[in-house]
Amino acid sequence: MSSTTNPSPQHTSTIGAIGAPSRRNTELALLVFAVVIPVFAYANVGLAINDQVPAGLLSYGLGLGLMAGVGHLAVRKFAPYADPLLLPLATLLNGIGLVAIWRLDQSKRLQASSTFVEAAPRQLMYSALGVALFVAVVFFLKDHRVLQRYTYISMVGALILLLLPLVPGIGHNVFGARIWIKIPGLGTLQPGEFAKIVLAVFFAGYLMVKRDALALASRRFMGLYLPRGRDLGPIIVVWIISILILVFETDLGTSLLFFGMFVIMLYVATERTSWIVFGLLMSAVGAVGVASFEPHIQTRVQAWLDPMHEFELSRAGVQDGIVHSEQAMQALWAFGSGGTLGTGWGQGNSDLIGFAANSDFILATFGEEIGLAGVMALLLLYALIVERGVRTALAARDPFGKLLAIGLSGAFALQVFVVAGGVMGLIPLTGMTMPFLAYGGSSVIANWALIGILLRISDTARRPAPAPAANPDAEMTQVVRP
Amino acid sequence: MSELTLTVMRLGFLAVLWLFVIVAVQVIRSDLFGTRVTQRGARRETGRPQQAAARQAPPPQRQQSGGRRGGRNTPTKLVVTEGTLTGTTVALQGQTITLGRAHDSTIVLDDDYASSRHARIYPDRDGQWIVEDLGSTNGTYLDRTRLTTPTAISLGAPIRIGKTVIELRK
């Protein structure tokens, strides 16, 4: 089928893989690497804290290796052409996160506190559940386009998930944010993490149908294309919902995540810059409006503007009805004391941060113990996951798959930005978890499912096209001119 | 543990972590340059010599498919072999497949020569797959004949809608 004729350059082009290597062996090699690195860190923590190789090294390594192996075999069997990088990247982040959580478990200071529970074994269990869900997604979701049928069911499902924490009885308030639900006998769950994926399905299905109306029917005003009022409806509804989340659940991060994800997908679907301008304006108005009367958010903003003042107030034990937190300042100190190369695993003092050291503030532990060089590498690993997601979206042939992949990777990127930015003091701190690194069952399970869906889309996108059958003479196709 | 060992381990860990990042980027690099850019116009030009050859000696595959007509080989999937959607497959599970530019079609064609509801493919009572033109402007072609009535499709016979070609496969 090869030709010697020179293709004319003015035509648009499509991109396809040569001979379509499945790259499963590359993935396996990277996975071995991704398991060895956390095992090395684990041994390092044990040597630094207790002067001996930790007793659980073998079982920890086997556990992580087993998870990676099961994931790999599932991908090899059910999604053979999927992207080779997503699984190793997620495994590495999950493994390093487990090490950091275990390292904080070893801290004498945290062990002395009354609320101490060993977090690492539970996180290992959650990770195993996450990988199980990942395998289930890859196995049961044979074609991502099936999700398109559930566009409006997804909308209802996402709304229910978001509203669950507000229902009295199952809603559960932890440190000012009402984002947990309590399932009797099973523990607590953060439905917002799952709502992220379900909402992406709804947005993708909705925008695929409506994008032409949103992109083309607009008036030009001051260099911007203003959409019609009726097309503006859905974005306003999403905006109001995210504001409501902010007000009733006092959860700045989730609200930012959902609205940001919608604006990203809207921009990708319509190619209109005006949507980004609108989105930024609306989120600014919403955030400032809510912050002006919600005390919980006000404290967060104050801790962001002047963390030292908050720290002193908290140390002095000022009782003015607002919870002052010393954590924002402590996190900054942790980053500072880490410097460029860090203090080394197990030799930092980030456990001083206290109760949220292994969840919201886990990045501070990394900042102190592996330094700027390590944190940059971690952020690059996240960036690579997002890059693979965007690449999947580019390669996907169907508009629904494109939008879903860009939505999921956009949400992932936003979440990393919101958490890392919050801990480092770039933006006000929000109660969200660093995907895969932080302690939290819902987060790790939901993110494994997200990786599973991305892998499924990339498998469809990278699968080689079946060879065309003999061509019965293309010239016979008659063009009827009106 | 001696200070030296810990320092070596600390730097070693950072080195290994960065090595992983670099290896991952190398994989992406080979992925980037391992892709082939197909010019859409090229297919039309290269098609011609091929078609000339096809006219002289019809490929054996098509003769086979003609022989199979009405046989009990039931197709399990529908494959798009030409056009912008090349490579898309749809599993055949007894459902009706609609083709056209309308958003609710099973296969949404992005093709100037396709009508919004162009054609449909459905199984009849015996499980034989039938293609029917839904009054499209530019017509639906099975092999080389323009469809006027619902027609049974044999395995591997190309159905042509504008620039898109689809066929049924086992």
Side-chain angles (χ1 to χ4, degrees), chain A residues 14 16 51 145 342 388 467 470, chain B residues 1 10 31 36 38 59 89 169:
Chain A
T14 49
D51 258 4
R145 283 170 294 180
R388 292 328 282 168
Chain B
M1 211 70 225
R10 170 168 68 121
D31 207 47
R36 171 186 59 186
T38 327
T89 57
R169 298 267 175 93

Side-chain angles (χ1 to χ4, degrees), chain B:
Chain B
M1 211 70 225
S2 79
E3 196 68 24
L4 181 68
T5 325
L6 287 179
T7 310
V8 169
M9 286 194 98
R10 170 168 68 121
L11 298 179
F13 177 78
L14 288 176
V16 180
L17 196 58
W18 275 101
L19 189 66
F20 183 88
V21 172
I22 291 166
V23 170
V25 172
Q26 286 297 320
V27 171
I28 292 182
R29 183 172 161 274
S30 63
D31 207 47
L32 268 185
F33 294 104
T35 51
R36 171 186 59 186
V37 177
T38 327
Q39 303 293 342
R40 275 191 197 154
R43 186 157 271 158
R44 223 171 294 147
E45 282 161 43
T46 56
R48 260 170 226 145
Q50 238 172 269
Q51 286 148 19
R55 233 170 275 145
Q56 285 158 7
Q61 202 185 337
R62 247 178 56 234
Q63 291 180 332
Q64 275 176 13
S65 69
R68 262 189 231 142
R69 196 175 291 257
R72 71 176 61 167
N73 283 316
T74 46
T76 57
K77 63 182 176 184
L78 180 151
V79 181
V80 181
T81 56
E82 260 182 61
T84 48
L85 292 170
T86 303
T88 311
T89 57
V90 174
L92 298 176
Q93 287 154 338
Q95 82 281 32
T96 296
I97 292 171
T98 54
L99 302 114
R101 280 160 52 168
H103 283 297
D104 54 350
S105 310
T106 318
I107 297 180
V108 182
L109 301 169
D110 181 19
D111 189 328
D112 293 340
Y113 297 108
S115 301
S116 55
R117 292 184 203 288
H118 198 108
R120 65 182 175 131
I121 295 174
Y122 59 94
D124 69 2
R125 247 170 281 147
D126 317 322
Q128 173 67 46
W129 288 85
I130 309 286
V131 56
E132 181 185 9
D133 187 84
L134 299 174
S136 63
T137 313
N138 291 323
T140 306
Y141 293 79
L142 182 65
D143 270 348
R144 299 182 195 185
T145 45
R146 184 167 178 164
L147 294 179
T148 46
T149 52
T151 313
I153 319 165
S154 57
L155 272 176
I159 300 161
R160 208 162 262 278
I161 293 172
K163 292 174 192 153
T164 305
V165 178
I166 52 183
E167 50 187 76
L168 300 189
R169 298 267 175 93
K170 271 214 287 181

Side-chain angles (χ1 to χ4, degrees), chain A residues 135-426:
Chain A
V135 171
V137 166
V138 172
F139 178 71
F140 286 108
L141 190 68
K142 295 276 184 247
D143 186 345
H144 62 269
R145 283 170 294 180
V146 172
L147 296 175
Q148 199 179 330
R149 291 183 208 152
Y150 305 112
T151 299
Y152 290 96
I153 295 178
S154 305
M155 180 188 72
V156 176
L159 284 181
I160 291 175
L161 281 175
L162 284 176
L163 293 177
L164 272 180
L166 295 179
V167 178
I170 47 175
H172 188 51
N173 194 329
V174 181
F175 303 116
R178 202 180 170 88
I179 50 175
W180 280 268
I181 58 168
K182 206 171 218 167
I183 304 171
L186 279 174
T188 55
L189 190 81
Q190 228 175 314
E193 292 281 350
F194 296 94
K196 177 174 74 179
I197 299 175
V198 182
L199 260 187
V201 172
F202 162 63
F203 287 161
Y206 174 81
L207 289 173
M208 197 195 85
V209 177
K210 291 284 158 78
R211 64 175 172 163
D212 287 344
L214 288 168
L216 300 174
S218 53
R219 279 168 290 133
R220 208 176 149 85
F221 175 73
M222 278 170 53
L224 286 177
Y225 287 94
L226 294 186
R228 294 181 304 188
R230 70 181 109 146
D231 298 329
L232 207 59
I235 189 175
I236 299 215
V237 169
V238 175
W239 181 69
I240 291 174
I241 290 171
S242 60
I243 293 289
L244 288 181
I245 299 170
L246 191 55
V247 173
F248 290 108
E249 305 183 7
T250 56
D251 187 10
L252 187 67
T254 311
S255 129
L256 205 66
L257 179 72
F258 292 151
F259 192 63
M261 179 167 81
F262 187 63
V263 171
I264 290 175
M265 291 173 79
L266 202 54
Y267 173 66
V268 170
T270 61
E271 303 175 43
R272 289 266 178 253
T273 331
S274 53
W275 284 118
I276 296 206
V277 177
F278 268 122
L280 289 178
L281 277 178
M282 285 169 83
S283 48
V285 168
V288 171
V290 173
S292 58
F293 64 86
E294 187 71 40
H296 180 76
I297 310 265
Q298 274 169 3
T299 339
R300 292 290 172 92
V301 172
Q302 250 156 35
W304 167 58
L305 290 175
D306 191 355
M308 196 64 209
H309 182 64
E310 280 294 301
F311 179 79
E312 279 164 352
L313 283 180
S314 169
R315 269 292 141 97
V318 174
Q319 299 291 333
D320 50 3
I322 303 170
V323 185
H324 293 289
S325 163
E326 41 193 72
Q327 292 172 327
M329 195 64 225
Q330 285 168 328
L332 292 181
W333 276 326
F335 280 110
S337 86
T340 313
L341 293 175
T343 56
W345 279 106
Q347 296 154 73
N349 292 310
S350 61
D351 46 341
L352 281 170
I353 291 175
F355 74 89
N358 65 7
S359 49
D360 293 10
F361 286 94
I362 194 137
L363 204 62
T365 299
F366 288 105
E368 180 159 20
E369 307 206 334
I370 59 178
L372 178 71
V375 170
M376 282 299 138
L378 290 182
L379 290 181
L380 262 179
L381 292 178
Y382 281 119
L384 284 174
I385 292 187
V386 174
E387 193 270 348
R388 292 328 282 168
V390 175
R391 180 83 193 159
T392 299
L394 279 176
R397 296 188 195 90
D398 60 307
F400 178 77
K402 267 184 200 301
L403 282 172
L404 186 58
I406 200 80
L408 291 177
S409 36
F412 194 83
L414 266 178
Q415 188 167 352
V416 172
F417 171 75
V418 165
V419 186
V423 176
M424 294 178 185
L426 183 68

Side-chain angles (χ1 to χ4, degrees), chain A residues 106-136:
Chain A
Q106 306 304 305
S107 152
K108 297 279 184 290
R109 277 187 284 255
L110 286 179
Q111 280 168 358
S113 87
S114 56
T115 52
F116 177 79
V117 269
E118 283 234 330
R122 293 170 74 179
Q123 180 73 357
L124 189 61
M125 189 191 75
Y126 292 139
S127 308
L129 278 179
V131 172
L133 188 61
F134 166 85
V135 171

